[in-house]
């Protein structure tokens, strides 16, 4: 910068200048000193500073490209491999997103990593489970995909399929050895996830496979408390038919009936009462439910035993 510029900045810092002008002048003097410092020019070699220059990449969605286009990446710029997965893995991820089981099988046979992660850090098995693509999922499992690998949201493939209601995918994962009671990052098992989402057939399949309904989620609710709180009457019936206790307490000491009443889930209340749930001392009238104290008194006397 010129000397006239420096003189002007110096005058701006005098006592007669306002505080705002002084502040900007000091910043200008600092930038001027940095620009005039020796060796301030940028180096031609980024490696001298310990970092690698990366050229901007064109952002594209894998499912919008054909597998053949992804194969061309193998002959593309080498700096792509510094940022994104290997080209062969990209082919696999694109084929999974496109639900192309044949290309998935070819990529796996060529050596693609069956547990590679996409731009969202989801493994292929989670993507297939979310889409309900049983064929792609079975190809991945035969190719060595880990059935319990978590996705970006913290859900495992079995929990993802249970949440989405994909029964055939759930069957495939169970047959492949997925851990039935493995927890997701939210603390829920696949059974608790399916129970809250209202999928009675999946709940029945998980229970038949040995899922433990007594486990708690992060909120302290067990397998009978979750559907009671969410008003999933069909799920409650499935669980009660398979031996779940309608009076099983949650981690906070509350029975399922408490949560059904608290959430105003009338159908769930009826199912629990018909299965022998003990009303206890819950004030049902304050929740405006169609149950008066006189109606509940015979049920209290019938099930008079400690919780």
């Amino acid at each position: 910068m010129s000397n006239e510029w420096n003189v002007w900045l110096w005058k701006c810092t005098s006592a007669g200048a306002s505080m705002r002008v002084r502040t900007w002048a000091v910043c200008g003097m600092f930038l001027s000193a940095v620009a005039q410092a020796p060796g301030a020019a940028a180096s031609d070699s980024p490696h001298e500073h310990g970092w690698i220059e990366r050229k901007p990449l064109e952002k594209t969605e894998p499912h919008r490209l054909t597998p053949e286009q992804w194969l061309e990446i193998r002959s593309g710029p080498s700096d792509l491999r510094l940022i994104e997965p290997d080209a062969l893995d990209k082919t696999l991820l694109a084929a999974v997103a496109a639900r192309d089981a044949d290309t998935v099988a070819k990529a796996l046979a060529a050596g693609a990593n069956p547990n590679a992660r996409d731009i969202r850090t989801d493994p292929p098995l989670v993507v297939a489970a979310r889409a309900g693509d049983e064929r792609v999922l079975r190809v991945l499992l035969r190719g060595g995909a880990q059935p319990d690998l978590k996705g970006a949201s913290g859900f495992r493939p079995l929990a993802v399929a249970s949440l989405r209601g994909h029964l055939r995918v759930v069957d495939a994962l169970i047959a492949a050895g997925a851990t039935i009671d493995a927890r997701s990052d939210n603390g829920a098992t696949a059974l608790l996830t399916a129970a809250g989402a209202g999928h009675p057939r999946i709940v029945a399949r998980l229970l038949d496979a040995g899922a433990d309904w007594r486990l708690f989620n992060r909120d302290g609710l067990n397998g009978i408390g979750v559907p009671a709180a969410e008003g999933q009457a069909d799920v409650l019936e499935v669980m009660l038919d398979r031996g779940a206790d309608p009076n099983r307490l949650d981690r906070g000491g509350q029975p399922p009936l408490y949560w059904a009443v608290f959430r105003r889930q009338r159908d769930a209340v009826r199912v629990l009462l018909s299965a022998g749930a003990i009303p206890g001392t819950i004030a049902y009238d304050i929740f405006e439910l169609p149950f008066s104290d006189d109606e509940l008194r015979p049920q209290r006397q019938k099930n008079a035993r400690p919780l």
Side-chain angles (χ1 to χ4, degrees), residues 237 240 268-277 299 302:
E237 290 178 351
L240 291 168
V269 170
R270 294 190 182 96
V271 170
L272 289 169
L273 287 175
S274 63
Q299 187 74 15
K302 176 181 177 181

Side-chain angles (χ1 to χ4, degrees), residues 165 167-168 170-171 194 198-208 234-235 238 242:
L167 180 60
R168 295 177 66 89
V170 170
D171 288 338
H199 300 303
R201 295 178 62 192
I202 293 181
V203 168
R205 194 63 51 86
L206 292 170
L207 288 172
D208 293 341
D234 293 340
V235 173
V238 169
R242 281 167 169 74

Side-chain angles (χ1 to χ4, degrees), residues 53-212:
E53 185 180 12
R54 295 179 178 179
K55 298 179 181 180
L57 302 176
E58 181 182 357
K59 293 184 178 180
T60 54
E61 295 293 336
H63 63 276
R64 295 183 181 177
L65 299 180
T66 64
E68 289 75 17
Q69 289 174 314
W70 280 104
L71 285 172
E72 293 178 1
I73 297 176
R74 302 188 67 178
S75 58
S78 60
D79 64 317
L80 283 172
R81 303 193 180 202
L82 297 175
I83 301 177
E84 297 183 330
D86 182 77
L88 194 57
D89 294 345
K90 291 174 71 66
T91 303
L92 173 66
L93 295 171
V96 172
R99 307 184 69 168
D100 186 348
D102 294 334
T103 304
V104 170
K106 292 178 182 178
L108 290 172
N113 181 8
N115 300 306
R117 295 181 179 271
D118 61 13
I119 194 171
R120 294 184 54 196
T121 70
D122 279 331
L125 208 59
V126 169
V127 177
R130 183 186 299 117
D133 195 331
E134 179 193 2
R135 187 183 176 202
V136 169
L137 184 129
R138 290 186 181 277
V139 171
L140 289 169
L141 290 171
R142 287 196 298 267
Q146 298 179 13
D148 290 331
L149 200 61
K150 292 181 183 179
S153 60
F155 282 83
R156 304 177 192 273
L158 185 59
V160 172
S162 300
L163 177 65
R164 297 300 180 100
H166 300 313
L167 180 60
R168 295 177 66 89
V169 173
V170 170
D171 288 338
L173 289 168
I174 293 175
T179 305
I180 300 298
D181 288 328
R183 296 181 183 273
S184 301
D185 285 355
N186 66 348
T189 63
L191 177 64
L192 296 173
T193 303
H199 300 303
R201 295 178 62 192
I202 293 181
V203 168
R205 194 63 51 86
L206 292 170
L207 288 172
D208 293 341
D212 189 353

